Amino acid sequence: MFYGRIGDIFCALMMSFLLFPCASAATKSATSGEERFDLRVSGGIFWDYGWGDKFFFKTGRLDDLFSSGMPDWNRTLRHATGPNLELRWRTPLSDNDDLFLSAKYQHLEFSLRDSLVGIISFLTYYKGLDAKLDFVSLGTGIQLEWKPVAPYLGADIGYCIVNLTTRQIFDMNDEGVSNVLVDGIGGGPFFRWSLGASAPIYAKFGVFAEANYLLCTNNWDSIPAEDVQASFNNYDFLTTEDRQIGRIHGLQILFGAQVGF
């Protein structure tokens, strides 16, 4: 059950908080200058390389494989992401660079659909997945106070909460249809590395662009089957199939606005 993951959440957040004492020690050598907070809001695109052929079939018929050869079933999934929020605290390290600490929230939703008709002459198989992911993290980094843009490099660690619904339909003709709809909540830890730049527009208002790489760790459990609605013949395994989504990893490009206070 999801509540059994509380230990994982606690460990991930404790690792995050370890970043703060290290960063605070570094600020002791800071030169005079203003500390400030930035509130940042962004949206963008996430290219998810982690699925490959692990969820999808190749839509088609079995005889297509013999006539045209085995297709490339690997693919990169592209998703919109947002709204993403970040609260960043900055303090000067020298005249030209700042240390920052950040708290981030990112929301991601995606749906996957596929079917395989004629895998055997009498079998049709449909699959579906709907996922809502909330990434919460703490991080740190360095920002260079150049003009007219300020590049920065950072890293963060946190925990992702996932609300997952999967659906599997087997149509066996003579044996009837097995239809399974499964809901559940789970999650796991993740890491993210970021490279970006911000530019002032007016007073304390500015814009930024960021590229980051998000990596979910390999020790996520499958999202549990907490609510199952099913009509079975002989396919009980459908309650747990395709509920491991901790394989997510990939590149994100974000664009946003920020205001300082």
Side-chain angles (χ1 to χ4, degrees):
M1 298 292 291
F2 170 66
Y3 298 103
R5 306 289 295 177
I6 295 298
D8 288 341
I9 300 175
F10 179 77
C11 291
L13 291 177
M14 287 301 295
M15 291 177 66
S16 301
F17 279 116
L18 289 177
L19 296 171
F20 281 82
C22 297
S24 299
T27 62
K28 293 181 180 179
S29 62
T31 61
S32 60
E34 288 189 0
E35 298 178 353
R36 60 177 288 180
F37 285 93
D38 293 321
L39 179 62
R40 295 154 57 96
V41 181
S42 67
I45 300 296
F46 176 43
W47 286 270
D48 183 3
Y49 304 112
W51 285 87
D53 60 358
K54 291 183 175 66
F55 178 83
F56 278 115
F57 308 112
K58 179 67 177 181
T59 302
R61 298 184 60 86
L62 188 61
D63 53 9
D64 294 334
L65 304 183
F66 295 114
S67 62
S68 59
M70 185 67 72
D72 181 5
W73 290 2
N74 293 312
R75 64 197 67 191
T76 299
L77 304 177
R78 184 178 64 184
H79 311 299
T81 174
N84 308 313
L85 304 177
E86 178 183 359
L87 181 62
R88 177 178 291 191
W89 173 74
R90 290 195 285 143
T91 187
L93 286 177
S94 69
D95 293 337
N96 297 314
D97 52 61
D98 289 350
L99 170 79
F100 65 82
L101 305 176
S102 64
K104 293 183 178 182
Y105 166 79
Q106 177 180 351
H107 181 72
L108 175 65
E109 294 186 24
F110 60 85
S111 297
L112 306 181
R113 298 288 186 273
D114 212 348
S115 62
L116 191 58
V117 179
I119 185 172
I120 305 175
S121 61
F122 54 86
L123 173 63
T124 300
Y125 191 12
Y126 299 94
K127 305 176 78 172
L129 179 151
D130 296 288
K132 297 179 180 179
L133 300 93
D134 294 296
F135 297 87
V136 181
S137 63
L138 298 172
T140 187
I142 298 293
Q143 178 168 313
L144 303 178
E145 294 303 316
W146 296 352
K147 302 295 182 182
V149 299
Y152 60 86
L153 178 66
D156 57 297
I157 180 175
Y159 196 89
C160 177
I161 301 172
V162 182
N163 191 321
L164 182 66
T165 300
T166 51
R167 183 166 189 171
Q168 318 279 352
I169 303 176
F170 268 116
D171 185 350
M172 290 289 291
N173 291 345
D174 292 342
E175 295 187 29
V177 177
S178 292
N179 188 343
V180 183
L181 183 67
V182 184
D183 288 315
I185 298 176
F190 70 93
F191 302 91
R192 182 166 45 204
W193 297 268
S194 304
L195 177 65
S198 60
I201 299 297
Y202 177 76
K204 293 186 177 182
F205 178 79
V207 295
F208 67 93
E210 178 180 300
N212 64 59
Y213 193 88
L214 186 148
L215 176 64
C216 296
T217 62
N218 293 328
N219 60 342
W220 285 32
D221 293 335
S222 295
I223 307 302
E226 297 175 345
D227 182 12
V228 180
Q229 303 175 40
S231 59
F232 286 117
N233 284 304
N234 297 306
Y235 300 103
D236 294 344
F237 71 92
L238 296 180
T239 58
T240 56
E241 187 180 12
D242 296 319
R243 299 190 63 78
Q244 170 55 271
I245 68 171
R247 61 178 62 92
I248 291 174
H249 65 85
L251 175 69
Q252 297 186 96
I253 302 295
L254 303 177
F255 298 94
Q258 66 180 31
V259 60
F261 57 95

